[in-house]
Structure formats: C-alpha cells, structure tokens
Amino acid sequence: MATTLPKTDVVLIGVGWTGGILAAELTKKGYQVVGLERGKGRKTSDFLMVHDELRYALRYDLMQDLSKETVTFRNNEKMRALPMRQYGSFLLGTDVGGSGVHWNGQTWRFLPYDFQIRTMTEERYGKNKIPADMTLQDWGITYDEIEPYFDQFEQMAGISGEENPHGGPRSNPYPTGPMKQTPAMNLFKEACENLGYKPFIQPSANLSEAYTNPDGISRAACQYCGFCERFGCEYGAKADPTVTVLPVAESTGKFDLRTHANVVEILHEGNRATGVRFVDTQSGEEFIQPAEVVAVTSYVLNNVRLLLQSGIGKPYDPKTGTGVIGKNYAYQNMCASTTGFFEEREFNVYAGAGSLGMTLDEFNGDNFDHSDLNFLHGANIFLGQLGKRPIQNNAVKPDTPSWGAKFKEESVKYHNRSISFNAQGASMPFRYHYLDLDPTYKDAYGNPLLRMTYDFKEQDNEMSKFMASKTEEIMKEMGASEIIVAKEKGPYNIVPYQSTHNTGGVIMGDNPDTSALNSYLQMWDYENVFVPGASAFPHNSGYNPTGTVGALSYRCAEGIDLYLKNGGSLV
C-alpha cells in the first residue's frame, strides 16, 4: 500500500540540469518544489583527488546500472531488439546532477536555422529537397524568441567563449573570456585561416577565470587537469547542477530533494496529472507524491519511457505516422574522424579540459550551399584538447600490431606526435526512427524497457564523406606526415562509444497533431505536465545539446510560473 504524501506545487522527476534549473527558478518565486532523484546525493568533495580513469571512464561509476534498467535496440523493424547489457554508444548518467556532472562542458547555442529548419529549407531549396521519409519540422519557437533564455543559462553557468562568426546574434557577450590556446589549437587555427575559414575558441562551461553569477554563486577557474568527461569536477570549475542551481534552490527553504526515489508512474485522472508514484530504492516502500504540476525532468530516454509507461500522450505509430510520444528519435552523426601523425613535431596533448579547443562553423547548419549535396544540415569541426588519459588514449598507425614490442615502441613514439579531430554532425529525424516500449524485456520493477529503432541513413553517409574532405584538407594544411580519415559510415552499431547526445521522443512544435509539447514545453493534451530537455528536440543539430537544453529549461520554468498563476494552455 503506497503512502500518500502532502501535496506540493511542483514535483520534478529527476534532478539534473533541467530539474535543477526548474527548482532554482520556481523556488525563487515562492513555489514549493519536490525533487525526486532515483540515485544518491552528490557534492564536489566526492571527487577530491579522485582522478581514477579505471573507476569512472571504464567502469562507469557515475552511470546508470544496466543490470536494473537498460534499453533494447534494433536497426529496423525486421530485427529483434536486444538489451544493451554493457555501455557502448552512449552513457546514461544517474544520481543528483545526472549527466550534468559527467559532461565535458561544451556549451552551444543551436543556430537560427535549427528552430525553423523545415520552413527555411523549403524557402531556399524547395519542398523536394526534404526526403519523403524525413519527418522534419519547425520547433514552434524562433531563435529570437529563445535567445534571452540562452543568455540566462550562459550567465548562470559562467560560459567562457568568443563570438561565433556564423552563429545567431547575441544580446550579451559571454560572461567570461575564452579558454587558453595550446600549440595544437594554434596550428589548427593557422591552417583554417590559411584555407579561408574563421576558426574560434570553443564555448566552454569549464571556467576560464573565477566567476560569480547573478545568483551570487562563486566558482574557481579551470585547472586544465583533463578529467572532465565521465568525471565530476573537484574544483567546481565545470558548471554542473550541484554547484550552480541546486544550492540556490536549497537556500530558499522551499526545495525538498529526495534521493533514492525512483518514479515508476505519473498518476492522472482524465487529461490531468495528479502526481507521481515512486519507490524508495533502499527500503522498497511505495509513495504517492501529489502535485499541481508534474515536470518530467529526467534523461531523454527515461522521459519517453515514463510517459509511455504511464499512458500519457498518444504513442507514435510509424506505420500511420500518427501519435507523438516516441516520435523523431535522433542521435549525433560523429563523422570524419581524422588523425594526423607528425614525425618532426610534438604536442602536450595530456593537458587539457573537457571543452578546450578550436572550432569552425562554416559547414554547420545551412551556413553553406546544399543545392548540389545529398544531405541537409552539417557539422561543427572541432579540434579539442580534452586531455588524453593513459588507459583509453593510445594513438598508433593502423598497421601497428595491437601488442608486443612494436606496439610499445610506436605508442611511445606517437603519444605526443598525433592529433585527432572530427566533425560533429546533425542528426535528422526519419519516419522509422522512434522509441517505444519493448514487448519482451522488463526492468527490475517489472516494467517494460524502452526499445530504440535507429540506423544511419544515406543522409548521414553523404554528410560524413563531405566532412571528411574538409577535415583531411585541414590536417594536410597542418603539416601532418600521415593522415588517417574515416570517410564513410556503416550501419549504426550500439557497441562502440560515439556520443551521449540522444534526442527526441517528446518533441515540441506548433501543432498538437505532430508534436507533444508547445513552446513552453507544456504538453498539448496534459496542461499540467511539462517535459523540458533534449527529448523535446524535433531533430539534433551539429552541436552538443546542453546549451539548448538549458535555454529550454528556463523557458519551461517561466511557463510553469504562468500556468500556476493562470492555468490553461500557454499557447
């Protein structure tokens, strides 16, 4: 028998970036907020002098336990979906802060083109440019409308950077200056400029200098230790929810954070949510948390699964193209992986930071003419100096034996004589790329696992070949003595790591027939349910998603405030 708790204004399902931003903004306005996090609590001191690559990067200490809950995967509907039993293509964070703790800190604004992608594509190239099975749609919000929320996120997080010559207009400069430039970055910059491009330093949530944000949160500058991705930051220099927004929420006295609270169902009567049912993962007890507003603020895949599991929203049916929950799953086209070996030059590539690097945007979005190209959108080309760690980074030439004396000799020779970069490409939505509930496999609580149906398309392969020609051109200009370039993609394989940039499934738009959410991230058919996060993306851009997730979360917080005051649909 579940115990019913006192009703709250807002309940959050997951306490990462989206939940943390909502908690801070809504408690500052006087609302009572309960945050339910199925993992344990976290604090900066947990990571003090714990640069343990084996524990975090290889044994995934900060990630979800796949023996209790995972996803199943297939490339197409003719295949049987099987569970992902060990981490590969993407990593699912857990505990307070979620993926916002183990991210690299690469913080982008999506382009104006992204938010009106169908309209702008048709205006420039005509309707026939969009393949019939590509379910491309506008987001229901323009860049100009979302820009103030981008600025709000950047001011809170203290984002370091310099102007993107191909980005959308900004109301303010970055709150902190760009990060340091390394010899490898300088060489990349010089080569790009020689080729007529306009490179710039990557925008970063790794602070370039000490900073105090508008909420009065002070943080120290990055130490360039190289332990960002898959690690928590012991200095608090990398913006994450536990050192930025959650302290603000807690200081109001109106935020009740409950850890080890796994939400298994959103309760509803008719088209109105009444609260959530959750299980205490330590005691096994069940509780019901009533709320005026339910905010689904977990990771992309968990958001979709919980809505489907709770019977909220119409599930997507790829055969008819109807329904919205599970629609437009998209990933990231990590393409044109390029490595250059330098016989006469050395670089200190073991120093770095998660968002330290030089980048160019000439071939992203619609910044270049696609008239004669067989793909839409593009990619951001980025030389990152993230800090190579000793176990996972060991660049040798392809013909080198994988063990023995020759392997050791080549490893020593090239450990500081190789540079790699790639193109991070957009992922377009297709009719048969979607998420639904698996009919066979269940989690530790007896609930169906989420099933993913996805594969790389010709769109992805054509983009990869085009971007490979650009990355190879840059590496030649850098003077590499030998260049290895991955030019084409095979079928999508969930085994090797690629990117944790999963998107879609609870998408936003301007039409309830083709989207689940309006521009305030409010569900069209459940007005007191809000679903911020990358699950709202109708497609994925050629960037890391966190900056856009942050902007949408601030927009969502504003929407929840408006709803609690006035009720009804906000659009």
Side-chain angles (χ1 to χ4, degrees):
M1 185 72 178
T3 301
T4 301
L5 302 171
K7 188 175 182 179
T8 188
D9 293 322
V10 181
V11 63
L12 309 172
I13 305 172
V15 187
W17 269 126
T18 54
I21 289 171
L22 265 57
E25 293 305 297
L26 294 171
T27 55
K28 284 192 292 185
K29 293 182 181 297
Y31 297 112
Q32 293 291 147
V33 177
V34 171
L36 301 177
E37 169 57 51
R38 66 183 177 184
K40 61 181 183 294
R42 280 212 191 106
K43 53 188 182 299
T44 307
S45 58
D46 293 340
F47 306 108
L48 188 62
M49 300 306 292
V50 191
H51 293 177
D52 189 335
E53 184 181 3
L54 185 64
R55 174 181 173 184
Y56 291 109
L58 295 164
R59 294 180 176 166
Y60 308 115
D61 190 77
L62 301 182
M63 310 307 168
Q64 181 176 300
D65 184 350
L66 297 183
S67 70
K68 295 180 179 178
E69 181 184 331
T70 184
V71 299
T72 67
F73 166 75
R74 59 186 181 175
N75 288 116
N76 58 64
E77 292 185 307
K78 295 179 181 179
M79 297 174 64
R80 177 187 175 190
L82 295 173
M84 181 174 73
R85 298 189 184 275
Q86 63 183 34
Y87 276 111
S89 185
F90 47 83
L91 305 176
L92 308 175
T94 191
D95 301 333
V96 171
S99 300
V101 171
H102 70 78
W103 72 314
N104 261 327
Q106 298 175 22
T107 311
W108 290 97
R109 296 178 172 204
F110 281 14
L111 296 164
Y113 172 69
D114 284 305
F115 299 103
Q116 297 173 281
I117 188 168
R118 186 169 193 100
T119 296
M120 290 186 174
T121 299
E122 290 180 352
E123 286 176 350
R124 185 172 182 181
Y125 305 106
K127 292 184 178 181
N128 291 336
K129 184 67 173 176
I130 302 171
D133 63 339
M134 184 183 287
T135 52
L136 203 63
Q137 66 181 59
D138 295 349
W139 289 39
I141 194 171
T142 66
Y143 176 84
D144 288 343
E145 289 171 325
I146 199 174
E147 196 282 334
Y149 307 101
F150 275 122
D151 183 63
Q152 195 171 1
F153 180 77
E154 290 166 356
Q155 298 297 324
M156 174 276 295
I159 303 302
S160 305
E162 63 180 359
E163 190 75 23
N164 177 357
H166 294 284
R170 304 176 57 89
S171 55
N172 288 299
Y174 286 108
T176 53
M179 299 190 78
K180 297 180 184 295
Q181 292 185 214
T182 67
M185 290 167 61
N186 288 335
L187 184 62
F188 178 85
K189 179 181 180 181
E190 181 182 350
C192 290
E193 289 177 340
N194 290 344
L195 294 168
Y197 305 138
K198 296 178 180 178
F200 57 99
I201 297 175
Q202 159 96 31
S204 169
N206 318 129
L207 280 179
S208 63
E209 58 192 79
Y211 177 70
T212 300
N213 76 8
D215 287 317
I217 299 293
S218 296
R219 294 164 40 228
C222 178
Q223 304 295 304
Y224 297 90
C225 71
F227 286 82
C228 291
E229 184 181 20
R230 308 186 187 183
F231 299 83
C233 180
E234 65 201 271
Y235 304 105
K238 179 176 69 175
D240 83 50
T242 68
V243 297
T244 53
V245 287
L246 290 177
V248 173
E250 289 163 354
S251 71
T252 65
K254 294 184 176 295
F255 181 49
D256 182 4
L257 172 59
R258 299 177 194 162
T259 56
H260 305 286
N262 186 30
V263 177
V264 293
E265 184 182 8
I266 301 172
L267 304 173
H268 56 99
E269 295 177 0
N271 284 66
R272 179 177 177 78
T274 58
V276 302
R277 180 168 60 91
F278 69 92
V279 177
D280 184 311
T281 59
Q282 293 182 311
S283 69
E285 293 180 88
E286 283 198 3
F287 296 88
I288 291 173
Q289 176 60 68
E292 191 66 28
V293 166
V294 174
V296 189
T297 51
S298 184
Y299 187 68
V300 172
L301 306 179
N302 299 328
N303 286 353
V304 179
R305 179 172 179 251
L306 187 57
L307 290 172
L308 289 171
Q309 190 173 294
S310 303
I312 291 183
K314 185 177 180 181
Y316 174 65
D317 182 350
K319 293 182 176 64
T320 63
T322 59
V324 291
I325 307 300
K327 178 183 178 183
N328 280 32
Y329 170 74
Y331 190 44
Q332 194 89 69
N333 184 11
M334 304 301 292
C335 56
S337 176
T338 303
T339 299
F341 295 90
F342 295 77
E343 299 294 337
E344 307 297 331
R345 197 161 187 168
E346 290 191 64
F347 310 90
N348 180 11
V349 292
Y350 287 82
S355 191
L356 176 64
M358 191 71 67
T359 186
L360 61 90
D361 241 5
E362 270 80 355
F363 304 107
N364 207 351
D366 202 34
N367 292 336
F368 59 110
D369 189 4
H370 290 70
S371 297
D372 298 323
L373 299 174
N374 294 322
F375 66 91
L376 292 175
H377 214 294
N380 169 270
I381 298 175
F382 167 56
L383 183 146
Q385 189 157 333
L386 280 58
K388 287 190 174 182
R389 296 182 291 271
I391 299 176
Q392 287 189 300
N393 297 278
N394 196 60
V396 292
K397 295 181 179 180
D399 57 354
T400 305
S402 59
W403 63 282
K406 184 64 174 177
F407 172 74
K408 293 177 183 178
E409 178 186 334
E410 294 293 290
S411 297
V412 171
K413 178 178 180 180
Y414 290 113
H415 80 286
N416 270 331
R417 287 191 175 93
S418 63
I419 292 177
S420 298
F421 57 84
N422 62 9
Q424 180 169 247
S427 181
M428 298 294 98
F430 287 88
R431 182 166 180 164
Y432 287 93
H433 290 175
Y434 66 100
L435 304 169
D436 67 351
L437 295 179
D438 192 282
T440 304
Y441 295 98
K442 301 181 185 302
D443 68 6
Y445 297 94
N447 295 312
L449 296 182
L450 188 72
R451 180 171 62 179
M452 176 187 297
T453 304
Y454 177 78
D455 202 357
F456 289 131
K457 303 278 284 187
E458 191 60 21
Q459 148 83 22
D460 303 292
N461 199 42
E462 289 294 312
M463 182 190 297
S464 187
K465 288 188 288 185
F466 178 86
M467 294 301 163
S469 69
K470 304 303 178 184
T471 58
E472 185 172 22
E473 174 190 47
I474 295 168
M475 190 65 84
K476 284 180 180 177
E477 188 65 26
M478 290 172 67
S481 55
E482 185 170 340
I483 301 171
I484 310 299
V485 188
K487 296 185 178 181
E488 294 193 39
K489 306 184 79 69
Y492 171 65
N493 183 352
I494 202 170
V495 175
Y497 183 77
Q498 292 160 72
S499 170
T500 304
H501 302 163
N502 310 85
T503 67
V506 194
I507 64 174
M508 59 191 296
D510 58 10
N511 185 338
D513 292 332
T514 58
S515 61
L517 311 172
N518 64 29
S519 68
Y520 282 99
L521 293 307
Q522 178 189 39
M523 292 194 73
W524 291 107
D525 48 357
Y526 286 80
E527 293 175 351
N528 69 331
V529 177
F530 291 75
V531 193
S535 54
F537 294 7
H539 73 275
N540 198 15
S541 184
Y543 294 124
N544 305 65
T546 307
T548 302
V549 168
L552 291 176
S553 298
Y554 278 104
R555 169 80 171 179
C556 180
E558 183 179 300
I560 292 174
D561 179 39
L562 290 171
Y563 175 82
L564 288 170
K565 289 176 178 175
N566 305 314
S569 178
L570 302 175
V571 174

